[in-house]
């Protein structure tokens, strides 16, 4: 129990103010609560299985350049989706297959948390407390999972409160901003890993990718407004 509570408290503190908390605030304005809970809890379980069971071994083989690039693409995709949702009717949203949002949330949360400080904390805690004991491994896994869930529930509650108080259009803009910022930051880290931190190539690649994203958003917004005006 001491191991369980220690791990839970450590992971809870490590997750406070993390990007996945802010992602849940954004997701609350875009998806239904059951979809968010299902997607994030599944991702949490898988992430902690990796961290506690295989994380230490896989850490030597995971290429962070690929992870950060994929994360940037995912965040930009969700940001663009938040813009398009602004003009989408509620009935159209209801027709979407339930599995789609769950998979989207799972992928976004999983990629956002993979290799993050919280997962690295889980790997470290597993190494410190495992002691070749199956029960200790179980306690570490349960502590990591519950700590992550409790911390991210705070972000979800904030998102639900905002959803009930803030008009949908403004909430979509907030969601867009959150996803876009994390996309930009992920690509900055990816370019630094690929070309070297502080290099001209890294800065140029980051600016080019961000510019393309901004242009796509502007074009998408323009086309969406024309489509709505033509109805």
């Amino acid at each position: 129990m001491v191991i369980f509570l220690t791990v839970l408290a450590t992971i809870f503190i490590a997750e406070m103010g993390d990007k996945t908390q802010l992602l849940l605030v954004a997701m609350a304005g875009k998806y239904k609560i059951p979809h968010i809970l299902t997607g994030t809890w599944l991702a949490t379980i898988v992430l902690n299985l990796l961290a506690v069971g295989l994380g230490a071994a896989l850490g030597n083989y995971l290429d962070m350049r690929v992870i950060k690039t994929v994360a940037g693409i995912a965040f930009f995709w969700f940001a663009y989706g938040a813009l398009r949702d602004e003009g989408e009717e509620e009935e159209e949203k209801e027709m979407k297959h339930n599995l789609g949002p769950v998979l989207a949330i799972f992928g976004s949360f999983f990629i956002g948390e993979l290799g993050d400080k919280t997962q690295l904390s889980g790997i470290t805690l597993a190494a410190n407390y495992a002691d070749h004991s199956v029960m200790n491994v179980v306690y570490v896994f349960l502590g990591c999972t519950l700590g992550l869930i409790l911390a991210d529930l705070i972000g979800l509650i904030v998102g639900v409160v905002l959803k009930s108080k803030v008009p949908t259009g403004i909430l979509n803009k907030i969601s867009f901003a959150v996803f876009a910022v994390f996309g930009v930051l992920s690509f900055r880290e990816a370019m630094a890993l690929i070309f070297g931190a502080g290099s001209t190539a890294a800065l140029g690649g980051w600016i080019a990718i961000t510019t393309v994203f901004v242009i796509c958003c502007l074009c998408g917004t323009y086309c969406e407004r024309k489509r709505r005006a033509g109805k």
Side-chain angles (χ1 to χ4, degrees):
M1 186 57 69
V2 173
I3 292 175
F4 169 74
L5 292 175
T6 301
V7 172
L8 188 154
T10 303
I11 295 298
F12 181 83
I13 293 170
E15 184 67 8
M16 293 304 292
D18 195 57
K19 63 177 175 293
T20 43
Q21 264 194 329
L22 297 177
L23 285 176
L24 283 169
V25 173
M27 286 177 181
K30 182 176 173 63
Y31 298 109
K32 294 180 179 179
I33 301 302
H35 294 159
I36 296 173
L37 293 177
T38 303
T40 55
W41 288 359
L42 283 174
T44 298
I45 291 170
V46 174
L47 284 163
N48 285 314
L49 282 173
L50 285 174
V52 176
L54 300 172
L58 291 176
N60 296 324
Y61 301 102
L62 290 174
D63 191 332
M64 292 304 296
R65 294 173 297 182
V66 176
I67 291 173
K68 292 299 182 182
T69 301
V70 173
I73 293 171
F75 291 143
F76 277 169
W77 176 257
F78 281 110
Y80 184 75
L83 280 182
R84 292 187 63 82
D85 282 349
E86 225 174 315
E88 197 173 52
E89 296 298 325
E90 197 64 35
E91 302 83 51
E92 293 176 331
K93 290 184 181 180
E94 291 297 325
M95 291 174 62
K96 290 183 176 178
H97 196 280
N98 287 342
L99 191 58
V102 172
L103 290 177
I105 294 163
F106 174 90
S108 178
F109 192 88
F110 183 87
I111 293 170
E113 197 64 40
L114 188 63
D116 196 41
K117 68 178 186 293
T118 312
Q119 198 189 31
L120 296 177
S121 297
I123 295 172
T124 304
L125 289 166
N128 288 340
Y129 291 116
D131 262 347
H132 305 292
S133 167
V134 175
M135 285 310 300
N136 283 357
V137 172
V138 172
Y139 290 142
V140 172
F141 169 74
L142 292 176
C144 286
T145 302
L146 186 57
L148 193 60
I149 287 173
L150 290 176
D152 288 332
L153 274 177
I154 294 175
L156 182 56
I157 291 170
V158 171
V160 171
V161 171
L162 284 175
K163 187 176 183 179
S164 64
K165 302 292 184 182
V166 180
T168 303
I170 295 177
L171 197 56
N172 280 334
K173 288 181 174 64
I174 294 173
S175 298
F176 167 78
V178 171
F179 286 126
V181 167
F182 286 129
V184 169
L185 293 177
S186 294
F187 269 115
R188 185 179 68 176
E189 293 176 6
M191 293 299 102
L193 290 170
I194 293 170
F195 298 108
S199 67
T200 304
L203 179 61
W206 176 50
I207 291 174
I209 291 170
T210 303
T211 302
V212 170
F213 169 69
V214 171
I215 291 173
C216 288
C217 289
L218 290 174
C219 291
T221 302
Y222 174 75
C223 292
E224 183 65 23
R225 286 177 177 173
K226 281 193 68 175
R227 183 184 69 81
R228 289 193 315 226
K231 282 186 175 181

